[in-house]
mmCIF file of all heavy atoms in Angstrom:
data_model
loop_
_atom_site.group_PDB
_atom_site.id
_atom_site.type_symbol
_atom_site.label_atom_id
_atom_site.label_comp_id
_atom_site.label_asym_id
_atom_site.label_seq_id
_atom_site.Cartn_x
_atom_site.Cartn_y
_atom_site.Cartn_z
ATOM 1 N N GLY N 464 135.175 86.958 70.281
ATOM 2 C CA GLY N 464 136.320 86.762 69.389
ATOM 3 C C GLY N 464 135.901 86.582 67.945
ATOM 4 O O GLY N 464 136.563 87.143 67.041
ATOM 5 N N LEU N 465 134.844 85.842 67.711
ATOM 6 C CA LEU N 465 134.360 85.659 66.324
ATOM 7 C C LEU N 465 133.832 86.963 65.739
ATOM 8 O O LEU N 465 134.065 87.285 64.564
ATOM 9 C CB LEU N 465 133.286 84.572 66.312
ATOM 10 C CG LEU N 465 133.784 83.139 66.526
ATOM 11 C CD1 LEU N 465 132.645 82.199 66.822
ATOM 12 C CD2 LEU N 465 134.549 82.670 65.292
ATOM 13 N N LEU N 466 133.111 87.724 66.543
ATOM 14 C CA LEU N 466 132.625 89.032 66.073
ATOM 15 C C LEU N 466 133.804 89.942 65.721
ATOM 16 O O LEU N 466 133.785 90.623 64.689
ATOM 17 C CB LEU N 466 131.724 89.664 67.135
ATOM 18 C CG LEU N 466 130.359 89.044 67.343
ATOM 19 C CD1 LEU N 466 129.669 89.671 68.531
ATOM 20 C CD2 LEU N 466 129.481 89.219 66.090
ATOM 21 N N LYS N 467 134.820 89.961 66.570
ATOM 22 C CA LYS N 467 136.011 90.787 66.286
ATOM 23 C C LYS N 467 136.689 90.331 64.995
ATOM 24 O O LYS N 467 137.117 91.152 64.181
ATOM 25 C CB LYS N 467 137.009 90.716 67.450
ATOM 26 C CG LYS N 467 136.649 91.554 68.644
ATOM 27 C CD LYS N 467 137.841 91.606 69.622
ATOM 28 C CE LYS N 467 137.582 92.635 70.728
ATOM 29 N NZ LYS N 467 138.741 92.833 71.595
ATOM 30 N N ALA N 468 136.775 89.020 64.833
ATOM 31 C CA ALA N 468 137.440 88.496 63.640
ATOM 32 C C ALA N 468 136.736 88.921 62.361
ATOM 33 O O ALA N 468 137.354 89.387 61.404
ATOM 34 C CB ALA N 468 137.498 86.968 63.717
ATOM 35 N N VAL N 469 135.393 88.807 62.349
ATOM 36 C CA VAL N 469 134.634 89.166 61.166
ATOM 37 C C VAL N 469 134.680 90.666 60.909
ATOM 38 O O VAL N 469 134.756 91.108 59.748
ATOM 39 C CB VAL N 469 133.186 88.666 61.282
ATOM 40 C CG1 VAL N 469 132.362 89.066 60.055
ATOM 41 C CG2 VAL N 469 133.124 87.154 61.463
ATOM 42 N N LEU N 470 134.685 91.467 61.977
ATOM 43 C CA LEU N 470 134.690 92.914 61.837
ATOM 44 C C LEU N 470 136.044 93.463 61.437
ATOM 45 O O LEU N 470 136.165 94.320 60.561
ATOM 46 C CB LEU N 470 134.222 93.565 63.149
ATOM 47 C CG LEU N 470 134.290 95.087 63.193
ATOM 48 C CD1 LEU N 470 133.342 95.709 62.173
ATOM 49 C CD2 LEU N 470 133.937 95.599 64.589
ATOM 50 N N LEU N 471 137.111 92.937 62.072
ATOM 51 C CA LEU N 471 138.417 93.588 61.979
ATOM 52 C C LEU N 471 139.395 92.950 60.990
ATOM 53 O O LEU N 471 140.401 93.549 60.632
ATOM 54 C CB LEU N 471 139.077 93.629 63.367
ATOM 55 C CG LEU N 471 138.263 94.334 64.476
ATOM 56 C CD1 LEU N 471 138.973 94.178 65.808
ATOM 57 C CD2 LEU N 471 138.086 95.807 64.141
ATOM 58 N N ASP N 472 139.096 91.727 60.538
ATOM 59 C CA ASP N 472 140.061 91.025 59.709
ATOM 60 C C ASP N 472 139.361 90.395 58.510
ATOM 61 O O ASP N 472 138.546 89.482 58.665
ATOM 62 C CB ASP N 472 140.761 89.933 60.543
ATOM 63 C CG ASP N 472 141.942 89.296 59.835
ATOM 64 O OD1 ASP N 472 141.759 88.842 58.705
ATOM 65 O OD2 ASP N 472 143.019 89.249 60.426
ATOM 66 N N GLU N 473 139.673 90.883 57.319
ATOM 67 C CA GLU N 473 138.984 90.418 56.096
ATOM 68 C C GLU N 473 139.155 88.922 55.867
ATOM 69 O O GLU N 473 138.198 88.207 55.592
ATOM 70 C CB GLU N 473 139.494 91.204 54.907
ATOM 71 C CG GLU N 473 138.833 90.805 53.587
ATOM 72 C CD GLU N 473 139.520 91.426 52.395
ATOM 73 O OE1 GLU N 473 140.351 92.355 52.590
ATOM 74 O OE2 GLU N 473 139.228 91.014 51.255
ATOM 75 N N MET N 474 140.422 88.422 56.013
ATOM 76 C CA MET N 474 140.670 87.001 55.771
ATOM 77 C C MET N 474 139.990 86.133 56.821
ATOM 78 O O MET N 474 139.415 85.086 56.491
ATOM 79 C CB MET N 474 142.192 86.742 55.738
ATOM 80 C CG MET N 474 142.916 87.479 54.636
ATOM 81 S SD MET N 474 142.232 87.077 52.984
ATOM 82 C CE MET N 474 142.636 85.341 52.906
ATOM 83 N N ALA N 475 140.052 86.576 58.075
ATOM 84 C CA ALA N 475 139.387 85.815 59.147
ATOM 85 C C ALA N 475 137.886 85.786 58.926
ATOM 86 O O ALA N 475 137.223 84.775 59.194
ATOM 87 C CB ALA N 475 139.725 86.431 60.499
ATOM 88 N N ALA N 476 137.341 86.879 58.434
ATOM 89 C CA ALA N 476 135.906 86.973 58.172
ATOM 90 C C ALA N 476 135.489 85.917 57.141
ATOM 91 O O ALA N 476 134.486 85.202 57.300
ATOM 92 C CB ALA N 476 135.524 88.370 57.686
ATOM 93 N N MET N 477 136.275 85.804 56.057
ATOM 94 C CA MET N 477 135.956 84.820 55.021
ATOM 95 C C MET N 477 136.012 83.394 55.578
ATOM 96 O O MET N 477 135.162 82.549 55.281
ATOM 97 C CB MET N 477 136.933 84.969 53.863
ATOM 98 C CG MET N 477 136.839 86.303 53.098
ATOM 99 S SD MET N 477 135.187 86.632 52.408
ATOM 100 C CE MET N 477 134.678 88.020 53.419
ATOM 101 N N TYR N 478 137.010 83.150 56.436
ATOM 102 C CA TYR N 478 137.176 81.809 57.015
ATOM 103 C C TYR N 478 135.993 81.435 57.896
ATOM 104 O O TYR N 478 135.460 80.324 57.838
ATOM 105 C CB TYR N 478 138.496 81.751 57.810
ATOM 106 C CG TYR N 478 138.825 80.369 58.327
ATOM 107 C CD1 TYR N 478 139.355 79.402 57.475
ATOM 108 C CD2 TYR N 478 138.618 80.046 59.652
ATOM 109 C CE1 TYR N 478 139.683 78.119 57.959
ATOM 110 C CE2 TYR N 478 138.927 78.759 60.138
ATOM 111 C CZ TYR N 478 139.439 77.820 59.286
ATOM 112 O OH TYR N 478 139.741 76.562 59.753
ATOM 113 N N VAL N 479 135.560 82.386 58.738
ATOM 114 C CA VAL N 479 134.430 82.132 59.644
ATOM 115 C C VAL N 479 133.149 81.912 58.846
ATOM 116 O O VAL N 479 132.345 81.015 59.145
ATOM 117 C CB VAL N 479 134.257 83.303 60.629
ATOM 118 C CG1 VAL N 479 132.985 83.119 61.478
ATOM 119 C CG2 VAL N 479 135.469 83.392 61.572
ATOM 120 N N MET N 480 132.942 82.712 57.809
ATOM 121 C CA MET N 480 131.741 82.554 57.003
ATOM 122 C C MET N 480 131.695 81.201 56.313
ATOM 123 O O MET N 480 130.627 80.586 56.175
ATOM 124 C CB MET N 480 131.631 83.711 55.964
ATOM 125 C CG MET N 480 131.163 85.017 56.596
ATOM 126 S SD MET N 480 130.766 86.289 55.363
ATOM 127 C CE MET N 480 132.391 86.923 55.009
ATOM 128 N N GLU N 481 132.862 80.700 55.886
ATOM 129 C CA GLU N 481 132.910 79.378 55.251
ATOM 130 C C GLU N 481 132.534 78.277 56.235
ATOM 131 O O GLU N 481 132.061 77.222 55.830
ATOM 132 C CB GLU N 481 134.329 79.137 54.711
ATOM 133 C CG GLU N 481 134.668 79.949 53.471
ATOM 134 C CD GLU N 481 136.132 79.805 53.080
ATOM 135 O OE1 GLU N 481 136.853 79.025 53.722
ATOM 136 O OE2 GLU N 481 136.537 80.500 52.116
ATOM 137 N N LYS N 482 132.761 78.502 57.522
ATOM 138 C CA LYS N 482 132.381 77.519 58.529
ATOM 139 C C LYS N 482 130.860 77.372 58.673
ATOM 140 O O LYS N 482 130.378 76.394 59.235
ATOM 141 C CB LYS N 482 132.970 77.923 59.907
ATOM 142 C CG LYS N 482 134.474 77.802 60.006
ATOM 143 C CD LYS N 482 134.883 76.335 60.077
ATOM 144 C CE LYS N 482 136.365 76.166 60.282
ATOM 145 N NZ LYS N 482 136.748 74.746 60.363
ATOM 146 N N GLY N 483 130.115 78.370 58.201
ATOM 147 C CA GLY N 483 128.643 78.285 58.248
ATOM 148 C C GLY N 483 128.053 78.565 59.612
ATOM 149 O O GLY N 483 126.889 78.220 59.857
ATOM 150 N N LEU N 484 128.818 79.193 60.517
ATOM 151 C CA LEU N 484 128.292 79.503 61.848
ATOM 152 C C LEU N 484 127.291 80.653 61.759
ATOM 153 O O LEU N 484 127.611 81.711 61.208
ATOM 154 C CB LEU N 484 129.457 79.889 62.786
ATOM 155 C CG LEU N 484 129.096 80.153 64.244
ATOM 156 C CD1 LEU N 484 128.707 78.863 64.942
ATOM 157 C CD2 LEU N 484 130.267 80.818 64.967
ATOM 158 N N THR N 485 126.097 80.469 62.312
ATOM 159 C CA THR N 485 125.082 81.500 62.226
ATOM 160 C C THR N 485 124.537 81.940 63.589
ATOM 161 O O THR N 485 123.793 82.904 63.676
ATOM 162 C CB THR N 485 123.878 81.035 61.386
ATOM 163 O OG1 THR N 485 123.335 79.862 61.961
ATOM 164 C CG2 THR N 485 124.310 80.787 59.944
ATOM 165 N N GLU N 486 124.910 81.209 64.650
ATOM 166 C CA GLU N 486 124.347 81.539 65.960
ATOM 167 C C GLU N 486 125.450 81.605 67.005
ATOM 168 O O GLU N 486 126.294 80.691 67.111
ATOM 169 C CB GLU N 486 123.323 80.461 66.372
ATOM 170 C CG GLU N 486 122.532 80.818 67.611
ATOM 171 C CD GLU N 486 121.452 79.809 67.924
ATOM 172 O OE1 GLU N 486 121.323 78.812 67.172
ATOM 173 O OE2 GLU N 486 120.758 79.968 68.940
ATOM 174 N N LEU N 487 125.449 82.694 67.801
ATOM 175 C CA LEU N 487 126.441 82.863 68.873
ATOM 176 C C LEU N 487 125.762 82.664 70.224
ATOM 177 O O LEU N 487 124.623 82.194 70.313
ATOM 178 C CB LEU N 487 127.082 84.254 68.766
ATOM 179 C CG LEU N 487 127.865 84.481 67.449
ATOM 180 C CD1 LEU N 487 128.438 85.901 67.457
ATOM 181 C CD2 LEU N 487 128.962 83.457 67.274
ATOM 182 N N ALA N 488 126.459 83.056 71.295
ATOM 183 C CA ALA N 488 125.972 82.760 72.647
ATOM 184 C C ALA N 488 124.709 83.509 72.990
ATOM 185 O O ALA N 488 123.842 83.011 73.693
ATOM 186 C CB ALA N 488 127.065 83.039 73.660
#
Side-chain angles (χ1 to χ4, degrees):
L465 288 166
L466 288 173
K467 281 191 172 187
V469 178
L470 175 63
L471 302 175
D472 189 307
E473 180 189 348
M474 297 304 295
M477 296 301 112
Y478 186 78
V479 174
M480 284 190 277
E481 288 172 4
K482 290 287 184 180
L484 184 70
T485 58
E486 189 176 0
L487 298 180

